[in-house]
Amino acid sequence: MLRTTLAGLRLHRSRYVTTVLAILLGVMFVSGTMVFADTLEASYEKSVMGSATSVDAIAVPAGKEPGSAAEPEDPVPFTDEQLDRVRELPEVAEAGGTLRGQAVLLDSEGRASGFAPPAALALGEVSRFSADEGALPSGGDEIALATSTAEQNGFAVGDTVTVLDPEEDKREFTVTGLVNFGVDPNYSYTGALVFDRATAREMTGVSDYAEIDVLAAEGRTDEEAAEAVAAELGDGAEVRTGEAFGLEMAENSGGNTEMLRIALLLFAFIAMFVAGIVIYNTFAILIAQRQRELALLRCVGARRGQVFRSVLAESAVVGLVASALGVLAGVGIGMAGAAFGGPLLGTGSSVAVVIAPPAILVGLAVGTVVTVASALVPATRATRVSPLAALRTSATAAGLEKGTGWVRVVLGLLAFAVSAALVTLTQVSGPTQMGPVVVTGAALVAFVGVVVLGPLLVRGIVRVVGVPLRRMGVPSMLAVDNSVRSPRRAATAMIALTVGATLITGYSVVSASVESTMTRMLEEEFPVDYEISSQLAMDGNGTGGGTGEEADGAEEAPAEGEPAPEEAGDAPSESSDGSADEPEAEAAAAPGPPRQPALPDEVRADLESRSVLDAVIGFRSRYVQDEDGALLYPVYTYSGAEIGVDITSDLVEGDLTEVGPGRAAVAEGYADGAGVGDTLTIPLGDGQELSLEIVAVVEDMQNLSGVTVDEEDFTEAFPEADGDEALFVRAAEGADAAEVREAVYTAVDDHPTLQVMSVAEIKNQFNEMMDIAFYTIAAMLGLAIIIAVFGISNTMALSVLERTRESALLRALGLARGQLRRMLSMEAVLLCLIGAGIGIVLGVVFGWAAGDATLPDMVFSVPVGQIALFIALAVVAGLLAAVLPARRAAATSITGALASE
């Protein structure tokens, strides 16, 4: 039987070409993902370990203990005296301190680069960092840049850059080198500038050290040096060996790599699932076509078990060969991903590819197991072939001609009913974290219904679509009849395409709906044209602080349409109590998140003097805390705006226009059961309370989050927060857009650190981000579509093989070769359109359900253009799938085919 199986494989190897391609593509994705992720992880580790292990011990200031309820305190940096004492330790050969503050770098247009200033460093004589290109600065007019900062701004070695000093005076520096800081979080987010020590102190105002790097004395181990430094610096320092420091950072970056690996493997699972459908369909058709062959084997003595093992051996050989090819392709894909995608993820330009044994073994195992598992049902069906089938004159594909019984109909309708019930449940319960999970389950149940009712769906759709096609000539009429001749085969072939079409359509609906929702929030609920804010200032140790012109207590403004960063639910109500004594009241009004520097008053005055501007709205915020330092709720005010008119949110109850002195609006998540007419109390710094009447409760995740109060009440509660953190500018009706832009940018000309963003730019940036995400995910899901098209092509090829005599008879009756090719192409196009059509319908339904179960007040949007493009691609895919089978059928000799049986 083994020799017979192998002989059959050699004789009919062309039948397995598209099956091999389907397995190859799926395994390629699996192995490629593992190679790429392993390479990325190793590169991160090398980058981190390479810098950390260049020194023997690293000391950083100790932070607050995790879980402490005390008021957070900034880590205390090291002084020159502490550095000198470390140098004098017998276990230490050399030591150097890294001075770290912040400085504002101007881009090529003279504006501050980034939303937060880059770190400004001075590296010590001993440091874990060095120049990757050029040299570190040695004079007061030289600077080195982080490679990420240079790439972001288009700077290179030899260029002249401008940096602002603490008085915001401009100073020019020559770039002497580039430093790769890898994945160190202190520098990977904001970038970095490197000065010599004296210049760094001038530019940052910082004189102490954020890190001490140590080389162990001769004869001393790294651990001994680290222990000695820890004993010298005491509880105010965290000291680790260079290797331990690097391992911890590598593990942190490795966590991001693992998330990327899981995400990519999810797409690989989808690809293998679709490949499994293709493999199942291929073997089902082959077994049905080989009934006489299998019956003859039974006649000459083959037992059922031998036939079963023969089919499984056939599938194992196909799966193993295809998987081996897929692993080779996957290694190539992984290498390409590491070479082109690695640098975008911070691995540097030189990436050493890692090909670990699991990437090879898992790829081989997954491909082979999926192939054998997909062949189990056809193999079982092969054992049921009666030996008498060998005596029949025709026994081709009889195994797929069974009708659709009432049991299948009931099961299919039941699956759709369960799916509908799950979707209804998500709509009744509203947006929750479990909503998308429930929708995913509903989609899987619906797929079961499509699989069970597939033959009926094919018949019904072809009946409808076939009416106009029958009038388009003989080839189209024959194609329609052939499409319903074997509806189970057609349904099995198109289900793979249905899966891919559902996923892509569903994601496109979610993406388009999110864009529409954000557009509504930006354009309808907050009708401003420009937003002006400062860079988010951090102190020298990377924690919240402030530089330049800053109002004490100014906080970071939340993004438009988003809630404050606290957890909703700890809400103000009549029972709020934070005023037992003066110290507690002061703690209650303490700031929470990093501070946002206040805007200069002259900027607002300049804007308000411009006739082309209709409104200039100031934004200020503070956070109310309890005596333990826990954030209770944020308080916002908008000066120059009429709440409910200029700035709105969807109401739960009340009237936003009632907000004024002594009256406030509260977001529902912070209401804690309080409603319109109840009293809200805000603790004051003198131990008193400010009592406000709640006149409106608004929905969460809207423009008005937290507690919104009148400017007069805000000033009474937080007198120290007297500067605007952001300005929202609205153009006058009919004003020229160019004049409005000129007015806004003229007002901030003398303040390069101010960030200016137009609502249109915010929208465009968000849309670009969503588009990039969509096309990236669509490209990955496109692999499943390609595999599905291979499956349809294979189905057509096997169908043509089965119908050789029939095609020859049609030719003999006068059907031209071109007409035969058109007939087969139309069949393939019908299959693709049916699969894509069902997938598009399911995708729209479940895309809407997933979006509505996640986003409150989602604006449902169907991307008609993308769906039309997908339908066009389905037609093209059908034509491509039929090219080779149609050419083969048209080229077959009429007399030879008629005489073959």
Side-chain angles (χ1 to χ4, degrees):
M1 286 299 296
L2 180 60
R3 287 196 298 272
T4 303
T5 300
L6 295 177
L9 280 171
R10 289 194 299 270
L11 181 62
H12 303 298
R13 57 182 178 271
S14 61
R15 300 181 180 183
Y16 296 97
V17 171
T18 50
T19 303
V20 168
L21 286 173
I23 303 168
L24 184 154
L25 289 174
V27 172
M28 177 188 72
F29 208 150
V30 174
S31 294
T33 293
M34 299 187 72
V35 169
F36 175 57
D38 289 341
T39 300
L40 195 64
E41 189 171 351
S43 179
Y44 281 157
E45 185 171 330
K46 178 182 177 183
S47 171
V48 174
M49 296 299 291
S51 64
T53 56
S54 63
V55 296
D56 298 319
I58 298 173
V60 296
K64 184 187 70 170
E65 287 293 326
S68 172
E71 180 69 20
E73 296 180 359
D74 295 340
V76 179
F78 304 122
T79 63
D80 281 316
E81 291 77 11
Q82 288 175 301
L83 177 58
D84 289 338
R85 293 203 303 270
V86 169
R87 286 171 174 163
E88 293 171 0
L89 293 172
E91 294 85 358
V92 174
E94 295 180 71
T98 300
L99 185 149
R100 183 170 75 234
Q102 282 188 317
V104 176
L105 173 70
L106 301 187
D107 59 21
S108 57
E109 297 182 355
R111 305 302 307 171
S113 174
F115 285 97
L121 307 176
L123 303 179
E125 299 83 353
V126 176
S127 175
R128 58 189 175 100
F129 298 115
S130 59
D132 280 14
E133 181 181 341
L136 294 176
S138 58
D141 58 351
E142 294 179 345
I143 191 173
L145 305 178
T147 52
S148 59
T149 303
E151 290 171 2
Q152 177 185 350
N153 294 278
F155 295 139
V157 174
D159 288 350
T160 299
V161 299
T162 302
V163 183
L164 301 183
D165 64 14
E167 286 72 39
E168 294 195 359
D169 292 330
K170 297 179 181 179
R171 288 186 55 175
E172 292 188 345
F173 297 87
T174 300
V175 179
T176 61
L178 302 179
V179 180
N180 182 12
F181 288 93
V183 294
D184 191 320
N186 290 311
Y187 315 110
S188 58
Y189 300 117
T190 61
L193 317 174
V194 181
F195 304 95
D196 65 19
R197 182 167 301 175
T199 307
R201 284 175 169 162
E202 291 176 17
M203 298 300 295
T204 64
V206 175
S207 58
D208 294 332
Y209 304 103
E211 180 179 317
I212 293 178
D213 297 332
V214 173
L215 294 179
E218 187 175 354
R220 301 286 187 163
T221 65
D222 297 356
E223 289 76 11
E224 289 175 335
E227 290 172 3
V229 173
E232 177 61 41
L233 296 177
D235 295 337
E238 295 178 0
V239 185
R240 282 157 290 184
T241 64
E243 182 177 2
F245 186 92
L247 284 173
E248 181 178 343
M249 197 176 297
E251 286 176 2
N252 293 335
S253 62
N256 296 331
T257 305
E258 284 305 307
M259 291 187 64
L260 178 62
R261 185 197 301 267
I262 292 171
L264 291 175
L265 285 177
L266 175 62
F267 292 106
F269 168 78
I270 294 171
M272 288 307 302
F273 175 73
V274 174
I277 296 174
V278 171
I279 296 164
Y280 165 80
N281 195 35
T282 299
F283 276 94
I285 295 174
L286 286 175
I287 296 304
Q289 291 180 345
R290 291 162 53 193
Q291 289 187 62
R292 294 186 66 186
E293 176 186 327
L294 296 174
L296 283 172
L297 289 174
R298 294 291 310 280
C299 285
V300 298
R303 297 186 297 275
R304 292 180 184 270
Q306 289 178 306
V307 172
F308 180 79
R309 289 191 294 273
S310 172
V311 176
L312 289 189
E314 192 174 321
S315 67
V317 172
V318 172
L320 188 60
V321 171
S323 298
L325 296 174
V327 167
L328 291 176
V331 170
I333 290 293
M335 293 172 65
F340 295 103
L344 299 177
L345 298 173
T347 64
S349 55
S350 58
V351 180
V353 177
V354 176
I355 305 175
I360 298 174
L361 297 178
V362 170
L364 290 173
V366 167
T368 305
V369 170
V370 168
T371 306
V372 173
S374 302
L376 282 175
V377 173
T380 303
R381 189 177 295 158
T383 63
R384 299 171 184 165
V385 177
S386 168
L388 294 177
L391 304 178
R392 298 175 187 163
T393 58
S394 177
T396 58
L400 292 178
E401 297 306 320
K402 296 179 181 179
T404 302
W406 66 269
V407 175
R408 292 175 66 93
V409 173
V410 171
L411 289 176
L413 293 177
L414 181 62
F416 282 125
V418 171
S419 179
L422 290 175
V423 171
T424 303
L425 177 64
T426 63
Q427 302 307 304
V428 172
S429 61
T432 63
Q433 290 183 345
M434 288 299 297
V437 177
V438 175
V439 172
T440 301
L444 293 176
V445 174
F447 277 131
V448 173
V450 172
V451 171
V452 173
L453 293 179
L456 284 178
L457 292 173
V458 169
R459 285 198 190 103
I461 294 173
V462 170
R463 273 205 192 100
V464 175
V465 178
V467 173
L469 290 179
R470 289 180 182 277
R471 301 176 182 177
M472 297 174 63
V474 174
S476 297
M477 182 177 64
L478 292 173
V480 171
D481 291 337
N482 289 335
S483 298
V484 294
R485 179 186 298 179
S486 182
R488 289 187 63 185
R489 175 191 298 174
T492 309
M494 64 87 176
I495 191 63
L497 187 59
T498 299
V499 172
T502 301
L503 292 171
I504 288 184
T505 304
Y507 183 74
S508 66
V509 167
V510 171
S511 178
S513 298
V514 170
E515 287 190 20
S516 298
T517 303
M518 291 301 298
T519 298
R520 186 198 67 179
M521 294 175 67
L522 288 173
E523 295 182 352
E524 296 179 7
E525 296 188 11
F526 207 168
V528 298
D529 298 294
Y530 286 90
E531 176 183 339
I532 302 173
S533 61
S534 296
Q535 280 188 321
L536 177 61
M538 313 290 281
D539 69 16
N541 293 310
T543 58
T547 58
E549 299 173 88
E550 178 182 346
D552 292 336
E555 310 294 343
E556 178 184 3
E560 292 179 28
E562 297 182 0
E566 305 77 26
E567 295 182 5
D570 289 329
S573 66
E574 289 182 294
S575 61
S576 297
D577 185 9
S579 58
D581 53 34
E582 185 170 340
E584 289 180 353
E586 289 178 355
R595 299 179 180 180
Q596 187 84 5
L599 303 180
D601 293 337
E602 60 265 25
V603 173
R604 178 165 188 167
D606 191 325
L607 292 170
E608 289 177 337
S609 67
R610 305 281 178 166
S611 60
V612 295
L613 303 181
D614 177 58
V616 179
I617 301 170
F619 170 83
R620 283 181 279 162
S621 67
R622 288 290 285 176
Y623 292 83
V624 174
Q625 298 173 270
D626 62 17
E627 60 273 12
D628 294 326
L631 296 175
L632 291 179
Y633 53 89
V635 181
Y636 304 130
T637 190
Y638 297 87
S639 60
E642 184 179 352
I643 304 300
V645 177
D646 296 315
I647 303 173
T648 65
S649 279
D650 291 338
L651 281 168
V652 175
E653 61 174 328
D655 185 355
L656 280 174
T657 60
E658 293 292 323
V659 173
R663 300 185 300 275
V666 182
E668 186 177 19
Y670 292 96
D672 193 26
V676 172
D678 291 334
T679 300
L680 162 73
T681 59
I682 298 177
L684 304 179
D686 56 3
Q688 301 298 311
E689 288 183 344
L690 175 64
S691 296
L692 302 173
E693 178 189 359
I694 298 176
V695 296
V697 178
V698 299
E699 294 186 2
D700 294 323
M701 297 185 70
Q702 298 275 318
N703 292 303
L704 295 178
S705 179
V707 177
T708 304
V709 302
D710 185 76
E711 182 182 7
E712 178 182 324
D713 295 326
F714 187 90
T715 302
E716 181 180 352
F718 312 108
E720 73 284 357
D722 59 354
D724 293 322
E725 301 162 30
L727 292 174
F728 303 117
V729 181
R730 185 174 64 219
E733 187 175 353
D736 181 71
E739 292 181 4
V740 173
R741 178 181 174 83
E742 177 67 21
V744 171
Y745 277 90
T746 299
V748 300
D749 267 348
D750 295 332
H751 306 278
T753 60
L754 298 188
Q755 308 281 303
V756 180
M757 181 73 72
S758 73
V759 172
E761 288 172 348
I762 295 174
K763 177 185 173 184
N764 289 338
Q765 286 188 357
F766 180 80
N767 289 348
E768 287 176 5
M769 179 182 68
M770 293 296 295
D771 288 343
I772 290 172
F774 169 76
Y775 288 118
T776 300
I777 293 176
M780 294 179 181
L781 293 176
L783 182 62
I785 300 293
I786 294 173
I787 294 174
V789 172
F790 281 146
I792 291 175
S793 179
N794 201 32
T795 300
M796 291 300 303
L798 295 174
S799 176
V800 166
L801 182 66
E802 174 187 310
R803 290 151 48 190
T804 301
R805 292 194 67 198
E806 177 186 318
S807 298
L809 185 59
L810 288 173
R811 290 286 316 285
L813 292 174
L815 195 68
R817 290 185 176 182
Q819 290 178 308
L820 182 61
R821 285 195 294 267
R822 285 197 296 276
M823 178 190 77
L824 295 174
S825 297
M826 187 64 70
E827 284 186 51
V829 168
L830 273 174
L831 276 181
C832 286
L833 285 178
I834 292 171
I838 295 175
I840 287 170
V841 171
L842 292 178
V844 170
V845 171
F846 291 111
W848 160 77
D852 203 55
T854 306
L855 293 174
D857 301 316
M858 182 191 73
V859 179
F860 178 57
S861 178
V862 179
V864 178
Q866 291 177 353
I867 292 177
L869 176 62
F870 188 72
I871 292 174
L873 291 176
V875 173
V876 173
L879 294 174
L880 293 176
V883 169
L884 292 179
R887 289 189 61 182
R888 179 174 180 175
T892 301
S893 169
I894 297 176
T895 55
L898 292 174
S900 61
E901 295 189 18

